[in-house]
């Protein structure tokens, strides 16, 4: 029997008994668990997933579509366009994975999970309907308001530039302008004054610089406070929180310069004192899960809750329908469980939250970026020092934008590597990550020297 049909039958209600017998027989024959897992995506987040899946006793083979130069050392990389649902379905037809794990938002918002579930193929990620929590800022704001979940107050939504310009007379400053659709992290602007707001609206709504995603904008109140990423894994009914993380969006030290996809992240339990965890669970997580159920939306997969810790309590800034990047690198470094087994349970609606065990202490990820990033950047630069760093204990270099060029690894993206380390304390994790960073070089490489600094201060201050 082919692997594809085993996989299909395993999730077909009518054929469950036969399928279970088949799976058991395969396991017995091999004397081990033997899942074939397909990971969709090709950045640092996907390399982190592949890293932990490779360590999973339940996983035998990993394919990654499209992967990158570093992932190629840990998985079989196959060419793919992550936004092309039909192409990914055809790929899965050929590869026959037992489980597919989706990294980026685009295939989710485009309906990849719906296409897989229709064929009864196991996949981790929300359906197109549920992925609107990331795909539409207006959908999310209405969801939050409907279920009385704390968030920034909305001034209004506007389908025309004229409407948006007009609304600027009525707002307090600064004001936050959000393009409604997916904009690759460029759709949110905290405008300090009317001139800056007008310029952003013009770029988004009149010059269409963000494409379809900018056809409608929303204006909302600007919140103040520290940000916190709180990510859940849910099977549609039960959920388990992952360890808390904080990322660093601005390109330069001291949070200066333009926003990026993320220049680093760290995780430590001190980020989330018990009382704050209790408040976030009671006022945000539980109402979100109940709200989804009340609206008839089954959400399965990772749910990223971006929070602002304001003086009036935590408020939701955004939802993402997938793991964050580079937060995933810091989270993966602290995983102490079989990721393949847990994700397989999520795909069949049988998550056991107690299985998610975490290493104590802390982790940190320092992103090494190409010269010019986040603007126009150079690529094709040879990366040196990777072999030396591979020998440092508790350090893992995760590749984000690299490719192989013969025996060399060269840069191929804005964010190139995520140097990730664990330690008994945040200081120790950071010290190891920076020590390893010092051994890596490529032309134009730049990185932030203050990842986790805020975390050290806030831990010391006891907040
Ligand atoms: P979002 O994609 O909605 O998370 O926005 C990206 C970033 O914009 C967030 O991580 C915040 O730094 C900032 N941001 C979004 N909404 C607000 C808000 N209402 N007040 C202040 N900053 C915000």
């Amino acid at each position: 029997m082919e692997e594809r049909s085993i996989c299909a039958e395993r999730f077909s209600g009518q054929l469950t008994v036969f399928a279970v017998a088949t799976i058991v027989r395969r396991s017995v024959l091999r004397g081990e668990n033997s899942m074939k897992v397909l990971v969709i995506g090709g950045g640092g987040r996907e390399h982190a997933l592949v890293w932990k899946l490779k360590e999973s006793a339940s996983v035998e083979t990993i394919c990654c579509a499209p992967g990158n130069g570093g992932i190629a050392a840990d998985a079989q990389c196959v060419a793919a366009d992550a936004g092309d649902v039909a192409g990914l379905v055809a790929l899965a037809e050929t590869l026959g994975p037992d489980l597919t794990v989706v990294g980026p938002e685009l295939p989710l918002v485009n309906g990849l999970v719906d296409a897989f579930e229709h064929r009864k193929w196991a996949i981790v990620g929300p359906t197109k309907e549920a992925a609107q929590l990331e795909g539409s800022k207006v959908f999310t704001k209405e969801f939050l308001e409907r279920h009385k979940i704390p968030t920034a107050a909305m001034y209004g939504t506007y389908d025309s530039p004229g409407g948006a310009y007009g609304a600027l007379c009525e707002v307090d400053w600064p004001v936050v302008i959000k393009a409604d659709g997916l904009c690759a992290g460029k759709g949110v602007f905290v405008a300090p004054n009317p001139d800056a707001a007008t310029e952003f609206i013009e770029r988004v709504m009149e010059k269409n610089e963000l494409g379809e995603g900018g056809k409608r904008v929303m204006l909302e109140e600007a919140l103040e406070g520290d940000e916190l990423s709180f990510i859940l894994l849910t099977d549609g009914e039960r959920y388990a929180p992952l360890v808390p993380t904080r990322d660093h969006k601005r390109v330069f030290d001291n949070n200066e310069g333009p926003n990026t996809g993320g220049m680093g992240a760290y995780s430590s339990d001190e980020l989330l004192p018990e009382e704050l965890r209790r408040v976030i669970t009671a006022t945000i997580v539980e109402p979100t899960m109940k709200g989804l159920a009340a609206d008839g939306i089954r959400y399965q997969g990772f749910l990223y809750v971006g929070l602002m810790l304001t003086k009036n309590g935590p408020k939701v800034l955004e939802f993402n329908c997938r793991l964050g990047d580079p937060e995933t690198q810091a989270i993966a470094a602290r995983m102490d469980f079989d990721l393949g087994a847990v994700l397989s349970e999520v795909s069949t609606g049988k998550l056991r939250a107690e299985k998610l065990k975490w290493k104590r202490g802390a982790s940190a990820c320092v992103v090494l970026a190409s010269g010019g990033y986040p603007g126009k950047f150079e690529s094709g630069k040879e990366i040196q020092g990777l072999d030396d760093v591979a020998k440092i204990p508790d350090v893992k270099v995760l590749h984000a934008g690299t490719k192989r060029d013969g025996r060399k690894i060269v840069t191929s993206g804005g964010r190139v590597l995520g140097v990730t380390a664990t330690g008994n304390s945040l200081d120790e994790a950071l010290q190891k990550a920076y020590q390893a960073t010092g051994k890596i070089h490529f032309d134009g490489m730049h990185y932030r020297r203050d990842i986790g600094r805020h975390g050290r201060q806030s831990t010391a201050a006891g907040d």
Side-chain angles (χ1 to χ4, degrees), residues 137 152 176 178 188 190 220-223 227 308 317-318:
K137 304 272 185 201
V176 181
K178 295 188 171 180
V188 177
V190 184
E220 74 176 29
E221 163 201 21
L223 299 175
E227 290 185 42
M308 188 74 94
L317 288 175
E318 64 166 339

Side-chain angles (χ1 to χ4, degrees), residues 178-426:
K178 295 188 171 180
D180 183 40
L182 285 188
C183 296
K186 296 191 177 124
V188 177
F189 181 56
V190 184
N193 54 50
D195 283 348
T198 305
E199 197 206 325
F200 184 75
I201 293 168
E202 187 185 348
R203 282 183 28 225
V204 171
M205 299 191 86
E206 299 205 63
K207 297 186 181 156
N208 294 320
E209 284 185 17
L210 302 179
E212 282 295 302
K215 286 230 170 309
R216 176 159 69 155
V217 301
M218 176 176 85
L219 299 187
E220 74 176 29
E221 163 201 21
L223 299 175
E224 280 178 33
D226 286 334
E227 290 185 42
L228 182 74
S229 309
F230 194 85
I231 307 178
L232 310 169
L233 177 60
T234 171
D235 65 2
E237 229 177 285
R238 290 156 288 264
Y239 68 87
L242 311 186
V243 281
T245 47
R246 183 169 284 151
D247 73 346
H248 299 63
K249 283 268 181 258
R250 301 295 187 114
V251 67
F252 300 129
D253 286 8
N254 300 315
N255 286 333
E256 285 171 10
N259 265 336
T260 68
M263 292 299 289
Y266 64 96
S267 168
S268 90
D269 292 334
E270 279 89 22
L271 267 175
L272 191 60
E274 209 38 51
E275 175 57 14
L276 180 58
R277 178 187 288 276
R278 197 193 57 71
V279 172
I280 291 172
T281 304
T283 64
I284 291 168
V285 176
E286 292 283 341
T288 297
M289 301 309 287
K290 287 195 184 120
L292 286 164
D295 291 350
I297 299 173
R298 189 178 64 86
Y299 190 108
Q300 180 260 74
F302 294 99
L303 177 62
Y304 174 115
V305 189
L307 297 167
M308 188 74 94
L309 306 179
T310 76
K311 62 178 190 313
N312 297 321
K315 296 190 178 187
V316 175
L317 288 175
E318 64 166 339
F319 289 118
N320 289 334
C321 60
R322 35 84 198 177
L323 285 160
D325 187 345
E327 291 97 323
T328 306
Q329 290 84 315
I331 290 169
R334 295 189 61 195
M335 282 179 184
D336 201 7
F337 56 89
D338 184 317
L339 180 63
V342 165
L343 294 181
S344 176
E345 289 179 1
V346 166
S347 74
T348 51
K350 295 194 184 103
L351 171 67
R352 281 175 286 171
E354 69 280 6
K355 280 197 155 185
L356 280 79
K357 303 254 192 286
W358 303 95
K359 290 181 191 152
R360 296 184 71 82
S363 61
C365 170
V366 178
V367 169
L368 313 188
S370 291
Y373 178 79
K376 204 165 171 295
F377 57 82
E378 303 171 315
S379 50
K381 307 290 179 193
E382 182 176 357
I383 304 171
Q384 274 146 352
L386 292 172
D387 291 342
D388 286 349
V389 173
K391 295 179 199 134
I392 305 177
D394 305 328
V395 171
K396 175 80 179 171
V397 178
L398 296 162
H399 292 229
T402 70
K403 65 176 188 189
R404 281 170 189 264
D405 179 5
R407 296 171 67 89
K408 292 187 283 189
I409 300 269
V410 299
T411 65
S412 66
R415 290 185 294 165
V416 176
L417 300 169
V419 183
T420 307
T422 48
N424 291 323
S425 64
L426 181 57

Side-chain angles (χ1 to χ4, degrees), residues 47-62:
H47 196 183
L49 289 169
V50 166
W51 171 36
K52 289 294 140 178
L53 287 167
K54 199 177 171 193
E55 290 179 359
S56 295
S58 58
V59 176
E60 185 177 80
T61 311
I62 308 170

